Amino acid sequence: NYKLAKAWAEAAECYVALADCNLKLDSKHDAATAFVEASKAVSKSSKPALAPGYLQQAVALYTDMGRLNMAARQLREIAEMAEKAENK
């Protein structure tokens, strides 16, 4: 509902809470996916600087699971965000 209302900061907070719940349930893949979604949402908000941090948390989880391809994809996204911020 937050995404439909374009309340991106609130949507990101919900995804982070979902990731925390998934970590408590030992569901690393679902937690990593939630962190990626939080990053996407926060990048559209007034605080886009938080997005790489959420992606970094997803990278750590993907690496722990041995999902190196997924981790590399998120690292590329972090690099693209940094490049975009540098060009502004």
Side-chain angles (χ1 to χ4, degrees):
N1 288 337
Y2 288 124
K3 286 172 78 172
L4 290 174
K6 297 188 181 193
W8 301 114
E10 291 84 355
E13 288 175 22
C14 287
Y15 280 119
V16 170
L18 175 62
D20 290 338
C21 288
N22 282 321
L23 285 173
K24 288 177 184 174
L25 295 171
D26 201 31
S27 180
K28 290 182 181 180
H29 187 270
D30 290 337
T33 302
F35 278 126
V36 170
E37 289 299 320
S39 173
K40 289 177 186 177
V42 81
S43 68
K44 296 176 184 177
S45 75
S46 60
K47 300 176 187 176
L50 297 175
Y54 293 142
L55 285 178
Q56 196 63 45
Q57 290 179 284
V59 167
L61 291 170
Y62 284 136
T63 303
D64 285 346
M65 292 184 297
R67 304 287 307 268
L68 301 181
N69 190 25
M70 298 288 283
R73 187 179 306 152
Q74 301 314 320
L75 287 171
R76 185 182 70 216
E77 187 68 29
I78 292 169
E80 288 173 358
M81 286 178 183
E83 185 178 28
K84 186 177 177 183
E86 187 176 292
N87 289 337
K88 283 189 175 181

